[in-house]
């Protein structure tokens, strides 16, 4: 067999489970990663000729564990071996290991691995980088290109993240119910951070856009671990709904197309249908949460055949609920868009202006403020807001979008003066 693509897919799918199990054995992230890499190298030597094993995950864990033990023993002159119960098992049979993979260890292993990547001691940028490197297996070069930093800088960022995790003494015992719930919330937030890093990429060609696909894959993995958790359903539905619009978000020149101006025939109906089914299932649990509410808002957009068919009144109500459940100036800012559609720019601006102190460094705040001021016939103030937005833009596409608004404002200024 010469086509090795299936092996790469097998490695990608198996990585979180295998690495999580090896981490439980060795309680050391570096050793677990090296053991996984060695198992993959051995698989590349044997699988093409012999074909895939009955259970690739079990095979990789079995080979990786033995490889890791050998590596630890080679270092025994300078480093003591872990306790025997950590690295040994009374059964060395691959089949026996495969039978135990469906037990409670499976969920806890992957959850522990994900939790390590979103440890609260790590800043968000390090959480994302560590998760993409450890859980997703992306190379340092890939991650560095997406973050627009040098390879050495990204290597240092990941190394610092691992050092912080090691210094924090993350426990390896099976988490209790309360801690597990806390971990799920942290993991969900980390996955959504990864998604947003890809979704906000500057045009469809940017390498970082692949992060969105990876976040969706991790969301599906988390849902398999917790199939009855409505907020995880909401998270996955939210990402799918946002991703469904990807083909319509930029024009041929890479310029941003606003939601109301997008060609809705380009939206991915398969992703939308999957998301709507997930959201309906989540709502039936009657345990609303922020991800479900945001997904419900995105669903209303996806159900509107034309921009003018959008149910802005329902969107306003959902944002009000989200404000009560998860108060945030960004939520209020987003609600102002719905208020502008329903009751005009003046009332929307009244919602926006009190947020100035909290959102002065936020690109979207100044962009919306400028748009509302322009609608109210206050071009001088709008120009100031747009200038501030350009200074805070995260990408050339964002800056170009605001410059286009400025050009329209300048073109309208002579007419206003008359």
């Amino acid at each position: 067999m010469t086509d090795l693509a299936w092996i790469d897919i097998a490695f990608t799918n198996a990585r979180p489970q295998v690495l999580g199990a090896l981490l439980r054995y060795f309680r050391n992230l570096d050793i677990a990663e090296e053991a996984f890499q060695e198992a993959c190298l051995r698989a590349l030597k044997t699988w093409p000729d012999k074909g895939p094993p009955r259970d690739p995950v079990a095979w990789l864990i079995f080979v990786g564990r033995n490889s890791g033990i050998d590596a630890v023993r080679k270092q025994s002159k300078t480093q003591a071996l872990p306790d025997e119960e950590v690295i040994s098992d009374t059964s060395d049979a691959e089949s026996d290991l495969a039978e135990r993979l469906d037990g409670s260890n499976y969920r806890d292993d992957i959850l522990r691995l994900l939790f390590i990547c979103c440890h609260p001691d790590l800043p968000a940028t390090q959480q994302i980088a560590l998760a993409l490197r450890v859980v997703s297996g992306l190379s340092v070069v890939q991650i560095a290109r997406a973050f627009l930093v040098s390879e050495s800088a990204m290597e240092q960022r990941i190394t610092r993240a691992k050092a912080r995790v090691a210094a924090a003494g993350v426990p390896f015992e099976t988490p209790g119910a309360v801690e597990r719930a806390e971990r799920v919330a942290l993991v969900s937030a980390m996955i959504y951070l990864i998604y947003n890093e890809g979704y906000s990429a500057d045009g469809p060609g940017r390498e970082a856009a692949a992060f969105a696909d990876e976040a969706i894959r991790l969301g599906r993995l988390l849902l398999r671990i917790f199939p009855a958790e409505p907020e995880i359903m909401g998270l996955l539905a939210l990402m799918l709904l946002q991703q469904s619009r990807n083909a319509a978000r930029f024009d041929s020149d890479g310029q941003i197309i606003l939601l109301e101006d997008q060609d809705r025939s380009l939206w991915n109906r398969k992703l939308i249908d999957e998301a709507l089914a997930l959201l309906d299932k989540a709502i039936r649990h009657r345990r609303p949460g922020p991800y479900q509410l945001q997904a419900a808002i995105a669903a209303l957009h996806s159900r509107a055949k034309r921009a003018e068919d959008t149910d802005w009144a329902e969107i306003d109500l959902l944002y009000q609920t989200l404000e009560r459940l998860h108060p945030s100036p960004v939520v209020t800012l987003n609600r102002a868009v719905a208020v502008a559609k329903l009751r005009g720019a003046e009332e929307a601006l009244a919602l926006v202006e009190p947020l100035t102190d909290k959102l002065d460094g936020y690109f979207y705040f100044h962009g919306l403020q400028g748009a509302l001021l322009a609608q109210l016939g206050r071009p001088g103030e709008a120009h100031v807001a747009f200038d501030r937005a350009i200074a805070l833009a995260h990408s050339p596409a964002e800056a170009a979008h605001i410059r286009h608004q400025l050009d329209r404002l300048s073109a309208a200024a002579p007419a206003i003066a008359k």
Side-chain angles (χ1 to χ4, degrees), residues 19 49 126 142 148 150 176 182 241 244 329 331 402:
L19 198 54
D49 294 331
Q126 289 187 11
Q142 288 175 299
L148 301 179
S150 67
E182 293 174 350
L241 286 167
S244 71
V331 172
I402 298 299

Side-chain angles (χ1 to χ4, degrees), residues 22-264:
L22 293 174
L23 182 62
R24 172 163 49 86
Y25 282 127
F26 298 109
R27 304 194 176 204
N28 182 293
L29 188 54
D30 288 328
I31 293 176
E33 282 192 286
E34 290 172 6
F36 175 74
Q37 292 300 327
E38 182 60 32
C40 290
L41 289 174
R42 295 188 187 182
L44 286 171
K45 294 178 181 179
T46 59
W47 290 7
D49 294 331
K50 298 181 179 180
R54 179 175 61 87
D55 190 327
V57 171
W59 192 98
L60 289 168
I61 293 175
F62 179 75
V63 173
R65 186 189 60 178
N66 290 339
S67 173
I69 292 173
D70 290 342
V72 170
R73 284 173 175 159
K74 289 179 181 178
Q75 299 173 6
S76 60
K77 292 182 180 180
T78 57
Q79 182 178 349
L81 276 171
D83 294 337
E84 182 65 22
E85 61 269 19
V86 174
I87 61 173
S88 298
D89 195 300
T90 55
S91 172
D92 288 331
E94 178 188 336
S95 59
D96 180 60
L97 182 61
E99 291 175 1
R100 291 187 283 109
L101 284 176
D102 291 329
S104 61
N105 283 338
Y106 164 73
R107 182 170 72 173
D108 292 328
D109 283 345
I110 296 182
L111 186 57
R112 183 182 297 109
L113 182 64
L114 290 169
F115 178 66
I116 283 175
C117 294
C118 62
H119 193 277
D121 284 354
L122 301 179
T125 53
Q126 289 187 11
Q127 289 181 11
I128 296 173
L130 191 60
L132 291 170
R133 180 72 192 99
V134 174
V135 183
S136 304
L138 298 185
S139 69
V140 175
V141 174
Q142 288 175 299
I143 303 171
R145 285 176 181 168
F147 278 92
L148 301 179
V149 300
S150 67
E151 183 179 347
S152 60
M154 182 54 64
E155 185 71 59
Q156 290 174 3
R157 184 179 299 182
I158 294 172
T159 300
R160 285 195 300 269
K162 289 182 178 180
R164 285 194 181 190
V165 168
V170 178
F172 287 84
E173 290 71 24
T174 300
V178 175
E179 187 180 4
R180 182 179 289 129
E182 293 174 350
R183 291 185 178 195
V184 170
L186 288 169
V187 168
S188 297
M190 180 268 291
I191 290 174
Y192 197 44
L193 283 172
I194 292 176
Y195 180 80
N196 281 325
E197 190 66 34
Y199 187 78
S200 60
D202 190 5
R206 272 278 305 275
E207 187 167 1
F211 288 6
D213 292 330
E214 182 57 28
I216 290 173
R217 190 181 77 86
L218 294 176
R220 294 187 191 280
L221 174 63
L222 194 61
L223 187 58
R224 285 203 300 271
I225 301 173
F226 296 99
E229 177 51 56
E231 266 296 83
I232 298 176
M233 299 177 201
L235 170 63
L236 182 55
L238 174 61
M239 293 190 294
L240 291 172
L241 286 167
Q242 291 176 332
Q243 192 68 4
S244 71
R245 303 194 292 263
N246 201 47
R249 292 177 57 229
F250 299 92
D251 65 17
S252 57
D253 297 322
Q255 301 300 307
I256 293 173
I257 303 175
L258 296 179
L259 178 62
E260 61 188 24
D261 299 323
Q262 290 176 11
D263 180 355
R264 301 188 176 212

Side-chain angles (χ1 to χ4, degrees), residues 265-283:
S265 68
L266 297 177
W267 289 2
N268 188 320
R269 297 308 310 182
K270 182 178 179 181
L271 292 182
I272 291 173
D273 291 342
E274 180 185 357
L276 295 179
L278 273 171
L279 182 59
D280 287 344
K281 184 178 180 182
I283 291 173

